[in-house]
PDB file of all heavy atoms in Angstrom:
ATOM      1  N   CYS A  15       3.071  23.105  -8.882  1.00 34.00           N
ATOM      2  CA  CYS A  15       3.185  24.495  -9.641  1.00 34.00           C
ATOM      3  C   CYS A  15       2.979  25.522  -8.493  1.00 34.00           C
ATOM      4  O   CYS A  15       2.001  25.410  -7.833  1.00 34.00           O
ATOM      5  CB  CYS A  15       2.111  24.518 -10.610  1.00 34.00           C
ATOM      6  SG  CYS A  15       2.183  26.195 -11.398  1.00 34.00           S
ATOM      7  N   ASP A  16       3.899  26.490  -8.344  1.00 33.00           N
ATOM      8  CA  ASP A  16       3.819  27.364  -7.214  1.00 33.00           C
ATOM      9  C   ASP A  16       3.181  28.588  -7.699  1.00 33.00           C
ATOM     10  O   ASP A  16       3.204  29.057  -8.790  1.00 33.00           O
ATOM     11  CB  ASP A  16       5.235  27.732  -6.776  1.00 33.00           C
ATOM     12  CG  ASP A  16       5.173  28.209  -5.267  1.00 33.00           C
ATOM     13  OD1 ASP A  16       4.235  28.473  -4.699  1.00 33.00           O
ATOM     14  OD2 ASP A  16       6.299  28.450  -4.724  1.00 33.00           O
ATOM     15  N   SER A  17       2.331  29.178  -6.688  1.00 33.00           N
ATOM     16  CA  SER A  17       1.683  30.410  -7.080  1.00 33.00           C
ATOM     17  C   SER A  17       1.811  31.409  -5.948  1.00 33.00           C
ATOM     18  O   SER A  17       1.855  30.995  -4.709  1.00 33.00           O
ATOM     19  CB  SER A  17       0.180  30.177  -7.280  1.00 33.00           C
ATOM     20  OG  SER A  17      -0.411  31.425  -7.393  1.00 33.00           O
ATOM     21  N   SER A  18       1.917  32.673  -6.178  1.00 32.00           N
ATOM     22  CA  SER A  18       2.184  33.617  -5.100  1.00 32.00           C
ATOM     23  C   SER A  18       0.940  34.384  -4.768  1.00 32.00           C
ATOM     24  O   SER A  18       0.914  35.508  -4.183  1.00 32.00           O
ATOM     25  CB  SER A  18       3.428  34.582  -5.463  1.00 32.00           C
ATOM     26  OG  SER A  18       2.990  35.246  -6.614  1.00 32.00           O
ATOM     27  N   ALA A  19      -0.247  33.894  -5.189  1.00 34.00           N
ATOM     28  CA  ALA A  19      -1.483  34.595  -4.946  1.00 34.00           C
ATOM     29  C   ALA A  19      -1.774  34.792  -3.457  1.00 34.00           C
ATOM     30  O   ALA A  19      -1.691  33.713  -2.807  1.00 34.00           O
ATOM     31  CB  ALA A  19      -2.684  34.010  -5.657  1.00 34.00           C
ATOM     32  N   ASP A  20      -2.152  36.048  -3.018  1.00 37.00           N
ATOM     33  CA  ASP A  20      -2.380  36.252  -1.614  1.00 37.00           C
ATOM     34  C   ASP A  20      -3.782  36.412  -1.356  1.00 37.00           C
ATOM     35  O   ASP A  20      -4.222  36.492  -0.149  1.00 37.00           O
ATOM     36  CB  ASP A  20      -1.554  37.518  -1.087  1.00 37.00           C
ATOM     37  CG  ASP A  20      -0.086  37.233  -1.169  1.00 37.00           C
ATOM     38  OD1 ASP A  20       0.244  36.128  -0.829  1.00 37.00           O
ATOM     39  OD2 ASP A  20       0.602  38.197  -1.446  1.00 37.00           O
ATOM     40  N   GLY A  21      -4.585  36.561  -2.393  1.00 36.00           N
ATOM     41  CA  GLY A  21      -6.065  36.820  -2.160  1.00 36.00           C
ATOM     42  C   GLY A  21      -6.757  35.528  -1.761  1.00 36.00           C
ATOM     43  O   GLY A  21      -6.283  34.417  -1.892  1.00 36.00           O
ATOM     44  N   PRO A  22      -8.053  35.667  -1.553  1.00 35.00           N
ATOM     45  CA  PRO A  22      -8.922  34.495  -1.181  1.00 35.00           C
ATOM     46  C   PRO A  22      -9.109  33.737  -2.457  1.00 35.00           C
ATOM     47  O   PRO A  22      -9.083  34.184  -3.490  1.00 35.00           O
ATOM     48  CB  PRO A  22     -10.269  35.080  -0.665  1.00 35.00           C
ATOM     49  CG  PRO A  22     -10.234  36.412  -1.152  1.00 35.00           C
ATOM     50  CD  PRO A  22      -8.848  36.927  -1.335  1.00 35.00           C
ATOM     51  N   VAL A  23      -9.180  32.365  -2.180  1.00 37.00           N
ATOM     52  CA  VAL A  23      -9.497  31.424  -3.273  1.00 37.00           C
ATOM     53  C   VAL A  23     -10.818  30.723  -3.026  1.00 37.00           C
ATOM     54  O   VAL A  23     -10.945  30.079  -2.185  1.00 37.00           O
ATOM     55  CB  VAL A  23      -8.299  30.350  -3.405  1.00 37.00           C
ATOM     56  CG1 VAL A  23      -8.633  29.330  -4.480  1.00 37.00           C
ATOM     57  CG2 VAL A  23      -7.048  30.963  -3.754  1.00 37.00           C
ATOM     58  N   SER A  24     -11.813  31.067  -3.853  1.00 37.00           N
ATOM     59  CA  SER A  24     -13.165  30.388  -3.633  1.00 37.00           C
ATOM     60  C   SER A  24     -13.708  30.291  -5.101  1.00 37.00           C
ATOM     61  O   SER A  24     -13.855  31.318  -5.671  1.00 37.00           O
ATOM     62  CB  SER A  24     -13.965  31.272  -2.701  1.00 37.00           C
ATOM     63  OG  SER A  24     -15.250  30.555  -2.641  1.00 37.00           O
ATOM     64  N   ILE A  25     -14.010  29.149  -5.437  1.00 37.00           N
ATOM     65  CA  ILE A  25     -14.429  28.882  -6.865  1.00 37.00           C
ATOM     66  C   ILE A  25     -15.865  28.487  -6.818  1.00 37.00           C
ATOM     67  O   ILE A  25     -16.216  27.372  -6.262  1.00 37.00           O
ATOM     68  CB  ILE A  25     -13.559  27.873  -7.549  1.00 37.00           C
ATOM     69  CG1 ILE A  25     -12.179  28.396  -7.652  1.00 37.00           C
ATOM     70  CG2 ILE A  25     -14.085  27.516  -8.946  1.00 37.00           C
ATOM     71  CD1 ILE A  25     -11.303  27.967  -6.532  1.00 37.00           C
ATOM     72  N   THR A  26     -16.752  29.144  -7.445  1.00 36.00           N
ATOM     73  CA  THR A  26     -18.159  28.860  -7.565  1.00 36.00           C
ATOM     74  C   THR A  26     -18.632  29.373  -8.862  1.00 36.00           C
ATOM     75  O   THR A  26     -18.553  30.580  -9.130  1.00 36.00           O
ATOM     76  CB  THR A  26     -19.023  29.427  -6.468  1.00 36.00           C
ATOM     77  OG1 THR A  26     -18.506  29.032  -5.225  1.00 36.00           O
ATOM     78  CG2 THR A  26     -20.517  28.914  -6.612  1.00 36.00           C
ATOM     79  N   GLN A  27     -19.041  28.425  -9.749  1.00 36.00           N
ATOM     80  CA  GLN A  27     -19.524  28.856 -11.135  1.00 36.00           C
ATOM     81  C   GLN A  27     -20.749  27.994 -11.484  1.00 36.00           C
ATOM     82  O   GLN A  27     -21.036  27.009 -10.882  1.00 36.00           O
ATOM     83  CB  GLN A  27     -18.459  28.509 -12.137  1.00 36.00           C
ATOM     84  CG  GLN A  27     -17.078  29.213 -11.907  1.00 36.00           C
ATOM     85  CD  GLN A  27     -16.054  28.728 -12.985  1.00 36.00           C
ATOM     86  OE1 GLN A  27     -16.349  27.856 -13.618  1.00 36.00           O
ATOM     87  NE2 GLN A  27     -14.945  29.490 -12.800  1.00 36.00           N
ATOM     88  N   PRO A  28     -21.545  28.545 -12.452  1.00 34.00           N
ATOM     89  CA  PRO A  28     -22.710  27.723 -12.883  1.00 34.00           C
ATOM     90  C   PRO A  28     -22.252  26.344 -13.446  1.00 34.00           C
ATOM     91  O   PRO A  28     -21.164  26.357 -13.982  1.00 34.00           O
ATOM     92  CB  PRO A  28     -23.386  28.595 -13.918  1.00 34.00           C
ATOM     93  CG  PRO A  28     -22.448  29.859 -14.014  1.00 34.00           C
ATOM     94  CD  PRO A  28     -21.339  29.771 -13.110  1.00 34.00           C
ATOM     95  N   ALA A  29     -23.119  25.420 -13.258  1.00 36.00           N
ATOM     96  CA  ALA A  29     -22.800  24.121 -13.960  1.00 36.00           C
ATOM     97  C   ALA A  29     -22.576  24.209 -15.408  1.00 36.00           C
ATOM     98  O   ALA A  29     -23.327  24.946 -15.983  1.00 36.00           O
ATOM     99  CB  ALA A  29     -23.897  23.157 -13.537  1.00 36.00           C
ATOM    100  N   GLY A  30     -21.719  23.448 -15.914  1.00 37.00           N
ATOM    101  CA  GLY A  30     -21.513  23.466 -17.339  1.00 37.00           C
ATOM    102  C   GLY A  30     -20.238  22.580 -17.675  1.00 37.00           C
ATOM    103  O   GLY A  30     -19.423  22.416 -16.730  1.00 37.00           O
ATOM    104  N   PRO A  31     -19.931  22.204 -18.866  1.00 36.00           N
ATOM    105  CA  PRO A  31     -18.947  21.403 -19.232  1.00 36.00           C
ATOM    106  C   PRO A  31     -17.556  22.135 -19.172  1.00 36.00           C
ATOM    107  O   PRO A  31     -17.561  23.476 -19.413  1.00 36.00           O
ATOM    108  CB  PRO A  31     -19.219  20.920 -20.645  1.00 36.00           C
ATOM    109  CG  PRO A  31     -20.184  21.996 -21.283  1.00 36.00           C
ATOM    110  CD  PRO A  31     -20.943  22.545 -20.128  1.00 36.00           C
ATOM    111  N   PRO A  32     -16.487  21.644 -18.773  1.00 34.00           N
ATOM    112  CA  PRO A  32     -15.212  22.253 -18.599  1.00 34.00           C
ATOM    113  C   PRO A  32     -14.796  22.550 -20.095  1.00 34.00           C
ATOM    114  O   PRO A  32     -15.038  21.870 -20.918  1.00 34.00           O
ATOM    115  CB  PRO A  32     -14.335  21.249 -18.013  1.00 34.00           C
ATOM    116  CG  PRO A  32     -15.022  20.013 -17.941  1.00 34.00           C
ATOM    117  CD  PRO A  32     -16.443  20.174 -18.233  1.00 34.00           C
ATOM    118  N   THR A  33     -14.032  23.596 -20.229  1.00 33.00           N
ATOM    119  CA  THR A  33     -13.500  23.924 -21.517  1.00 33.00           C
ATOM    120  C   THR A  33     -11.973  23.959 -21.615  1.00 33.00           C
ATOM    121  O   THR A  33     -11.390  24.484 -22.527  1.00 33.00           O
ATOM    122  CB  THR A  33     -13.985  25.423 -21.790  1.00 33.00           C
ATOM    123  OG1 THR A  33     -13.412  26.288 -20.844  1.00 33.00           O
ATOM    124  CG2 THR A  33     -15.483  25.445 -22.021  1.00 33.00           C
ATOM    125  N   THR A  34     -11.265  23.092 -20.845  1.00 32.00           N
ATOM    126  CA  THR A  34      -9.859  23.047 -20.877  1.00 32.00           C
ATOM    127  C   THR A  34      -9.497  21.800 -21.839  1.00 32.00           C
ATOM    128  O   THR A  34     -10.303  20.961 -22.004  1.00 32.00           O
ATOM    129  CB  THR A  34      -9.230  22.840 -19.470  1.00 32.00           C
ATOM    130  OG1 THR A  34      -9.868  21.688 -18.965  1.00 32.00           O
ATOM    131  CG2 THR A  34      -9.443  24.134 -18.629  1.00 32.00           C
ATOM    132  N   ALA A  35      -8.348  21.922 -22.279  1.00 34.00           N
ATOM    133  CA  ALA A  35      -7.853  20.920 -23.314  1.00 34.00           C
ATOM    134  C   ALA A  35      -7.250  19.692 -22.485  1.00 34.00           C
ATOM    135  O   ALA A  35      -6.492  19.906 -21.645  1.00 34.00           O
ATOM    136  CB  ALA A  35      -6.809  21.415 -24.227  1.00 34.00           C
ATOM    137  N   PRO A  36      -7.577  18.405 -22.861  1.00 34.00           N
ATOM    138  CA  PRO A  36      -6.896  17.256 -22.307  1.00 34.00           C
ATOM    139  C   PRO A  36      -5.500  16.996 -22.760  1.00 34.00           C
ATOM    140  O   PRO A  36      -5.088  17.667 -23.613  1.00 34.00           O
ATOM    141  CB  PRO A  36      -7.892  16.177 -22.753  1.00 34.00           C
ATOM    142  CG  PRO A  36      -8.421  16.619 -24.104  1.00 34.00           C
ATOM    143  CD  PRO A  36      -8.539  18.086 -23.927  1.00 34.00           C
ATOM    144  N   GLY A  37      -4.881  16.127 -22.005  1.00 35.00           N
ATOM    145  CA  GLY A  37      -3.511  15.710 -22.401  1.00 35.00           C
ATOM    146  C   GLY A  37      -2.463  16.477 -21.790  1.00 35.00           C
ATOM    147  O   GLY A  37      -1.290  16.573 -22.326  1.00 35.00           O
TER     148      GLY A  37
END
Side-chain angles (χ1 to χ4, degrees):
C15 176
D16 204 356
S17 172
S18 60
D20 293 326
V23 176
S24 182
I25 296 90
T26 305
Q27 297 175 356
T33 58
T34 54

